[in-house]
Amino acid sequence: MKQIINEWRKFLSEGGNVFKGERVGSIPMEFIQPTLQRYYEELGRLFPMHATDFQNFSPLGSVGKKAKSGDIDLAVDVKEMFPQGKVTDKDLESWNIDPDSWKVTYEKMVKRARTATPSEVELRAFLYELAKYIGENSEIIKTDLKKVRPGQMFSLFPQISDSGEQKDVGVQIDWMMGNRNWLKFSYFSPMPTESQPMLKGLHRTQLLLSMFLAKNYSFRHVGGVFDRASGEKVAHSPSEALELLGKLYGSPIAIENLETFEGIYGWLGSNATEEDRNSALDAYLTILDRTPGNKEVDPETGDTRRCGYIPQELEDYWLRNWERLELKGRHLCRSANDPLRDAIEAIQEAKKRSTKYKLQ
């Protein structure tokens, strides 16, 4: 249980709204392209030697697939940024970064690094210095230095309407730097379905994470797949991740099986042993129980709250195992998963009656 919670916390640290207190909102689909175009123009002004490179950044996940997006994740290919495979003084100078300042930051980070490799620390130091330069030289891009991680930098930018108007609400735009093919795979999000509109890309990705976790491996959005025992990176690409899953679960798996929650769940049911399937589902429900990854609107007040949705396919398994797994259900969406909420309410009511009876 403890390792599941720790893995869930690491997974959550790979995103989310980091600009607390700022006016940040979901961005309409029609605002995405003009916002990114203006964002790239501002980056081009700051870094003229890389003005054309920003057009190669690729939106990830559900961006552009649904009416609104909470933030914009951008795939940034590290090989295009650093063709020699490492951070060089020449590269740093092309980004207006003083190599000596970068070295000081790198040395500080190396001393604090526990599991990160030297190359990961190099990249984190680069993104830190980059975020600092942007924050000091742009009036419309905000960055958060405290949240910079290996392969990740977070920024805040005004939303631009489809008519070119700058709005007074911002959108979080996150750099995800790594292998572009891996990033597209790890952040892939399918189109929402009519049957389960609350089923999101996170439901697909967290089930994938749970499959690896059940076999003592870590799935990382930016980095790849790691052996938890040795810390060694064992999958650098989607094809290597597929091959590893096939070995771990004793059956070949195709990339198409991993594009949706339904595809992964169906593959587990048809190919994994009952023990392996249940181990993955146990980890999955434990993670979902602590993930308010959905939003719903209270029909009476109109207020929006965060909540957690359990896929319909797993409601029966949840009901059979929630006490064993110590699931709390405190984040369950009020507009869905009625059997689950009814079960919790019935148990809570029975406990109240039992306590009242003992007191009498």
Side-chain angles (χ1 to χ4, degrees):
M1 178 69 72
K2 185 176 181 180
Q3 75 166 5
I4 293 175
I5 302 305
N6 289 338
E7 198 69 18
W8 164 77
R9 286 172 177 160
K10 289 180 183 177
F11 184 82
L12 285 188
S13 72
E14 295 185 341
N17 179 18
V18 301
F19 293 94
K20 304 300 182 183
E22 297 285 351
R23 186 136 188 247
V24 184
S26 297
I27 183 170
M29 185 187 297
E30 61 271 19
F31 287 11
I32 292 175
Q33 195 54 44
T35 298
L36 285 177
Q37 190 57 42
R38 191 77 62 83
Y39 181 71
Y40 296 152
E41 289 173 1
E42 175 65 3
L43 289 174
R45 183 188 70 80
L46 296 172
F47 309 106
M49 291 185 66
H50 295 276
T52 59
D53 295 342
F54 302 115
Q55 300 300 325
N56 295 326
F57 288 13
S58 305
L60 295 167
S62 61
V63 175
K65 294 181 180 179
K66 54 184 183 179
K68 289 189 175 183
S69 298
D71 55 18
I72 301 176
D73 293 330
L74 297 175
V76 182
D77 197 295
V78 68
K79 290 184 179 180
E80 293 178 3
M81 301 282 280
F82 303 104
Q84 296 186 38
K86 62 179 181 178
V87 179
T88 68
D89 287 356
K90 184 177 179 180
D91 290 327
L92 293 170
E93 290 167 353
S94 74
W95 288 96
N96 297 329
I97 294 173
D98 178 13
D100 290 334
S101 296
W102 173 84
K103 289 175 184 175
V104 170
T105 298
Y106 171 77
E107 289 170 359
K108 288 180 180 178
M109 289 182 174
V110 163
K111 292 178 181 178
R112 297 195 300 266
R114 295 182 178 178
T115 59
T117 64
S119 60
E120 288 175 333
V121 181
E122 282 187 7
L123 194 55
R124 184 181 181 187
F126 163 74
L127 289 174
Y128 180 92
E129 291 296 317
L130 188 75
K132 184 169 69 173
Y133 184 87
I134 292 173
E136 292 174 349
N137 293 276
S138 176
E139 295 183 358
I140 55 175
I141 301 180
K142 292 186 177 182
T143 55
D144 190 330
L145 298 181
K146 294 180 180 179
K147 298 295 183 179
V148 173
R149 302 181 184 92
Q152 293 179 290
M153 184 188 75
F154 304 96
S155 65
L156 179 65
F157 191 74
Q159 295 186 23
I160 307 299
S161 73
D162 46 355
S163 63
E165 177 189 4
Q166 181 173 312
K167 313 299 287 186
D168 60 357
V169 61
V171 61
Q172 187 172 310
I173 303 179
D174 305 335
W175 292 35
M176 305 298 174
M177 187 180 293
N179 177 282
R180 181 179 281 115
N181 289 334
W182 174 262
L183 292 168
K184 288 183 176 181
F185 167 73
S186 66
Y187 280 94
F188 182 80
S189 181
M191 292 288 289
T193 63
E194 292 185 6
S195 60
Q196 292 196 76
M198 299 189 81
L199 199 62
K200 300 178 60 176
L202 72 86
H203 290 93
R204 168 259 182 190
T205 306
Q206 290 185 334
L207 183 51
L208 184 58
L209 178 152
S210 300
M211 288 178 66
F212 281 111
L213 181 57
K215 294 294 186 176
N216 206 30
Y217 288 84
S218 293
F219 173 91
R220 300 182 190 173
H221 258 143
V222 175
V225 180
F226 294 77
D227 185 319
R228 288 173 57 83
S230 66
E232 178 187 0
K233 188 174 183 177
V234 293
H236 304 72
S237 66
S239 60
E240 290 178 350
L242 290 173
E243 183 179 359
L244 177 59
L245 278 176
K247 291 179 180 178
L248 294 175
Y249 285 86
S251 181
I253 186 167
I255 190 71
E256 293 78 16
N257 296 126
L258 301 182
E259 291 183 344
T260 64
F261 162 80
E262 295 93 337
I264 301 174
Y265 180 75
W267 185 89
L268 277 171
S270 301
N271 296 275
T273 65
E274 182 177 5
E275 181 181 359
D276 282 347
R277 180 174 64 252
N278 290 348
S279 293
L281 295 181
D282 286 354
Y284 185 55
L285 290 183
T286 300
I287 291 171
L288 285 186
D289 193 54
R290 292 160 172 81
T291 307
N294 292 76
K295 293 181 180 178
E296 65 178 358
V297 178
D298 188 315
E300 296 182 1
T301 65
D303 295 334
T304 300
R305 69 179 286 265
R306 306 287 310 184
C307 66
Y309 177 70
I310 306 298
Q312 294 173 2
E313 293 89 336
L314 286 173
E315 286 188 338
D316 287 343
Y317 190 87
W318 193 99
L319 288 169
R320 294 196 305 271
N321 297 282
W322 71 288
E323 291 183 287
R324 174 179 64 84
L325 297 175
E326 300 180 352
L327 305 179
K328 307 300 182 183
R330 62 169 61 96
H331 296 302
L332 285 174
C333 297
R334 296 168 185 166
S335 57
N337 299 136
D338 290 344
L340 280 54
R341 289 186 290 103
D342 290 346
I344 292 174
E345 291 173 3
I347 293 293
Q348 290 174 339
E349 185 61 31
K351 288 182 178 179
K352 287 180 182 178
R353 290 198 300 268
S354 176
T355 301
K356 183 177 180 180
Y357 176 77
K358 289 179 180 178
L359 291 174
Q360 291 176 345

